[in-house]
Coordinates of all heavy atoms in Angstrom, one line a residue:
L199 N 0.8 -1.2 0.0 CA 0.0 0.0 0.0 C 0.9 1.3 0.0 O 0.6 2.2 -0.8 CB -0.9 0.0 1.2 CG -2.0 1.0 1.3 CD1 -3.2 0.6 2.0 CD2 -1.5 2.4 2.0
L200 N 1.9 1.4 0.8 CA 2.7 2.5 1.0 C 3.5 2.7 -0.3 O 3.7 3.8 -0.8 CB 3.7 2.4 2.2 CG 2.9 2.4 3.6 CD1 4.1 2.3 4.7 CD2 2.1 3.6 3.7
A201 N 3.9 1.5 -0.9 CA 4.7 1.6 -2.1 C 3.8 2.2 -3.3 O 4.3 3.0 -4.1 CB 5.3 0.3 -2.5
A202 N 2.6 1.7 -3.3 CA 1.7 2.2 -4.3 C 1.3 3.7 -4.1 O 1.2 4.4 -5.2 CB 0.3 1.4 -4.2
V203 N 1.2 4.2 -2.9 CA 0.9 5.6 -2.7 C 2.2 6.4 -3.1 O 2.0 7.5 -3.7 CB 0.6 5.9 -1.2 CG1 0.5 7.4 -1.0 CG2 -0.8 5.2 -0.8
D204 N 3.3 5.9 -2.8 CA 4.6 6.5 -3.2 C 4.7 6.7 -4.7 O 5.2 7.8 -5.2 CB 5.7 5.8 -2.6 CG 6.6 6.7 -1.7 OD1 6.4 7.8 -1.7 OD2 7.6 6.2 -1.1
A205 N 4.3 5.6 -5.4 CA 4.5 5.6 -6.9 C 3.5 6.6 -7.4 O 3.8 7.4 -8.4 CB 4.2 4.3 -7.4
K206 N 2.3 6.7 -6.9 CA 1.3 7.6 -7.4 C 1.7 9.1 -7.1 O 1.6 10.0 -8.0 CB -0.1 7.4 -6.8 CG -0.7 6.2 -7.1 CD -1.4 6.3 -8.5 CE -2.2 5.0 -8.9 NZ -2.9 5.1 -10.2
L207 N 2.4 9.4 -6.0 CA 2.8 10.7 -5.7 C 4.0 11.1 -6.6 O 4.1 12.2 -7.2 CB 3.3 10.8 -4.3 CG 2.3 10.7 -3.2 CD1 2.9 10.5 -1.8 CD2 1.4 11.9 -3.2
D208 N 4.8 10.1 -6.9 CA 6.0 10.3 -7.9 C 5.5 10.6 -9.3 O 6.0 11.5 -10.0 CB 6.9 9.1 -7.8 CG 8.1 9.4 -8.6 OD1 8.8 10.4 -8.2 OD2 8.5 8.6 -9.5
A209 N 4.4 9.8 -9.7 CA 3.9 10.1 -10.9 C 3.2 11.4 -11.1 O 3.2 12.0 -12.2 CB 2.8 8.9 -11.3
A210 N 2.6 12.0 -10.1 CA 2.0 13.3 -10.0 C 3.0 14.4 -9.8 O 2.6 15.6 -9.8 CB 0.9 13.3 -8.9
K211 N 4.3 14.0 -9.8 CA 5.4 14.9 -9.6 C 5.2 15.8 -8.3 O 5.5 16.9 -8.3 CB 5.6 15.9 -10.8 CG 5.8 15.2 -12.1 CD 6.1 16.0 -13.2 CE 6.5 15.3 -14.5 NZ 7.4 14.3 -14.4
S212 N 4.8 15.1 -7.3 CA 4.6 15.7 -5.9 C 5.9 15.7 -5.2 O 6.6 14.8 -5.3 CB 3.5 15.0 -5.1 OG 3.5 15.4 -3.7
Q213 N 6.2 16.8 -4.5 CA 7.4 16.8 -3.6 C 7.2 15.9 -2.4 O 8.2 15.6 -1.7 CB 7.6 18.3 -3.1 CG 6.5 18.8 -2.1 CD 6.8 20.1 -1.6 OE1 7.9 20.3 -1.2 NE2 5.7 21.0 -1.4
F214 N 6.0 15.4 -2.1 CA 5.8 14.5 -0.9 C 6.1 13.2 -1.2 O 6.0 12.6 -2.3 CB 4.4 14.6 -0.5 CG 4.0 15.9 0.3 CD1 3.7 17.1 -0.4 CD2 3.9 15.9 1.6 CE1 3.5 18.3 0.3 CE2 3.6 17.1 2.4 CZ 3.4 18.3 1.6
A215 N 6.6 12.5 -0.2 CA 7.0 11.1 -0.2 C 6.5 10.4 1.1 O 6.5 11.1 2.3 CB 8.4 10.8 -0.5
I216 N 6.4 9.1 1.1 CA 6.1 8.4 2.4 C 7.4 8.2 3.3 O 8.4 7.9 2.8 CB 5.6 7.0 2.1 CG1 4.3 7.0 1.3 CG2 5.4 6.1 3.3 CD1 3.1 7.5 2.1
E217 N 7.1 8.5 4.6 CA 8.2 8.2 5.6 C 7.6 7.3 6.5 O 6.8 7.6 7.3 CB 8.6 9.5 6.4 CG 9.7 9.3 7.3 CD 10.0 10.5 8.0 OE1 9.7 11.7 7.6 OE2 10.7 10.4 9.1
N218 N 8.0 6.0 6.5 CA 7.5 4.9 7.3 C 8.3 4.9 8.6 O 9.4 4.3 8.6 CB 7.5 3.7 6.6 CG 7.1 2.5 7.4 OD1 6.4 2.7 8.4 ND2 7.2 1.3 7.0
R219 N 7.8 5.2 9.7 CA 8.4 5.1 11.0 C 7.7 4.0 12.0 O 8.2 3.6 13.0 CB 8.3 6.3 11.9 CG 9.0 7.6 11.2 CD 8.9 8.7 12.1 NE 9.2 10.0 11.4 CZ 9.1 11.2 12.1 NH1 8.6 11.2 13.2 NH2 9.3 12.3 11.4
A220 N 6.6 3.4 11.5 CA 5.8 2.5 12.3 C 6.0 1.1 12.0 O 5.9 0.2 12.8 CB 4.3 2.8 12.1
F221 N 6.2 0.7 10.7 CA 6.3 -0.6 10.3 C 7.7 -1.0 9.9 O 8.2 -0.3 9.0 CB 5.3 -1.0 9.2 CG 3.9 -0.7 9.5 CD1 3.3 0.5 9.2 CD2 3.1 -1.6 10.2 CE1 2.0 0.8 9.5 CE2 1.8 -1.4 10.5 CZ 1.2 -0.2 10.2
G222 N 8.2 -2.1 10.4 CA 9.6 -2.6 10.0 C 9.4 -3.7 9.2 O 8.9 -3.9 8.1
D223 N 9.9 -4.8 9.8 CA 10.0 -6.2 9.1 C 8.5 -6.7 8.8 O 8.3 -7.6 7.9 CB 10.8 -7.3 9.9 CG 12.4 -6.8 10.0 OD1 12.7 -6.0 9.1 OD2 13.0 -7.2 10.9
N224 N 7.6 -6.3 9.7 CA 6.3 -6.8 9.5 C 5.5 -6.1 8.4 O 4.3 -6.4 8.2 CB 5.5 -6.8 10.8 CG 5.3 -5.4 11.3 OD1 6.0 -4.5 10.9 ND2 4.3 -5.2 12.3
A225 N 6.1 -5.1 7.8 CA 5.3 -4.3 6.8 C 4.8 -5.2 5.6 O 3.7 -4.8 5.0 CB 6.1 -3.2 6.2
G226 N 5.5 -6.3 5.3 CA 5.0 -7.1 4.3 C 4.0 -8.2 4.7 O 3.4 -8.8 3.8
T227 N 3.7 -8.3 6.0 CA 2.8 -9.3 6.4 C 1.5 -8.7 7.0 O 0.4 -9.4 7.0 CB 3.4 -10.1 7.5 OG1 3.8 -9.2 8.7 CG2 4.7 -10.9 7.1
V228 N 1.5 -7.5 7.4 CA 0.2 -6.9 7.9 C -0.6 -6.4 6.7 O -0.2 -5.6 5.7 CB 0.5 -5.7 8.8 CG1 -0.8 -5.0 9.2 CG2 1.5 -6.0 9.9
Q229 N -1.8 -7.0 6.6 CA -2.7 -6.7 5.5 C -3.8 -5.8 5.9 O -4.2 -5.8 7.1 CB -3.2 -8.1 4.9 CG -2.3 -9.0 4.2 CD -3.0 -10.1 3.7 OE1 -3.9 -10.8 4.3 NE2 -2.5 -10.6 2.5
I230 N -4.2 -5.0 5.0 CA -5.2 -3.9 5.2 C -6.3 -4.0 4.1 O -6.1 -4.0 2.9 CB -4.6 -2.5 5.2 CG1 -3.6 -2.4 6.4 CG2 -5.6 -1.4 5.4 CD1 -2.9 -1.1 6.5
P231 N -7.6 -4.0 4.6 CA -8.6 -4.0 3.6 C -8.9 -2.6 2.9 O -8.9 -1.6 3.6 CB -9.9 -4.4 4.4 CG -9.6 -3.9 5.8 CD -8.1 -4.1 6.0
V232 N -8.8 -2.7 1.6 CA -9.0 -1.4 0.8 C -10.0 -1.6 -0.3 O -9.9 -2.7 -1.0 CB -7.6 -1.0 0.3 CG1 -7.8 0.2 -0.7 CG2 -6.6 -0.8 1.3
A233 N -11.0 -0.7 -0.4 CA -12.0 -0.8 -1.5 C -11.3 -0.6 -2.8 O -10.4 0.1 -2.9 CB -13.1 0.2 -1.2
R234 N -11.9 -1.2 -3.9 CA -11.4 -1.2 -5.2 C -11.5 0.3 -5.7 O -10.6 0.6 -6.6 CB -12.1 -2.1 -6.2 CG -11.9 -3.6 -5.8 CD -12.4 -4.5 -6.8 NE -12.1 -5.9 -6.6 CZ -11.0 -6.4 -6.9 NH1 -10.1 -5.8 -7.5 NH2 -10.8 -7.8 -6.6
N235 N -12.4 1.1 -5.3 CA -12.6 2.4 -5.8 C -11.9 3.4 -4.9 O -12.2 4.6 -4.9 CB -14.1 2.7 -6.1 CG -14.8 2.7 -4.7 OD1 -14.4 2.2 -3.7 ND2 -16.0 3.2 -4.7
A236 N -11.1 3.0 -4.0 CA -10.4 3.8 -3.0 C -9.5 4.8 -3.5 O -8.8 4.6 -4.6 CB -9.7 3.0 -1.8
T237 N -9.6 6.1 -3.0 CA -8.6 7.1 -3.3 C -7.3 6.9 -2.5 O -7.3 6.0 -1.6 CB -9.1 8.5 -3.1 OG1 -9.3 8.7 -1.7 CG2 -10.3 8.8 -3.8
L238 N -6.3 7.6 -2.8 CA -5.0 7.5 -1.9 C -5.4 7.8 -0.5 O -4.8 7.3 0.5 CB -3.9 8.3 -2.5 CG -3.4 8.1 -3.9 CD1 -2.2 9.1 -4.2 CD2 -3.1 6.6 -4.2
L239 N -6.2 8.8 -0.3 CA -6.5 9.3 1.0 C -7.3 8.2 1.7 O -7.1 7.8 2.9 CB -7.5 10.6 0.9 CG -7.9 11.2 2.2 CD1 -6.6 11.8 2.9 CD2 -8.9 12.2 2.1

């Protein structure tokens, strides 16, 4: 999810980027439900 948001920000030429301070090694195992029509927000 964070990688996808980062990629979208980069494609929009935004100066903003994700800074992940909460998830370490478990970032790849924690799953989050997201609707198919979800915005980045």
Side-chain angles (χ1 to χ4, degrees):
L199 189 152
L200 296 181
V203 172
D204 234 353
K206 290 284 186 176
L207 290 172
D208 188 55
K211 301 189 183 305
S212 171
Q213 64 173 322
F214 282 78
I216 296 289
E217 181 182 347
N218 176 19
R219 301 184 194 171
F221 300 95
D223 296 337
N224 64 338
T227 59
V228 177
Q229 293 184 318
I230 296 178
V232 177
R234 290 188 178 276
N235 62 345
T237 63
L238 300 186
L239 187 70

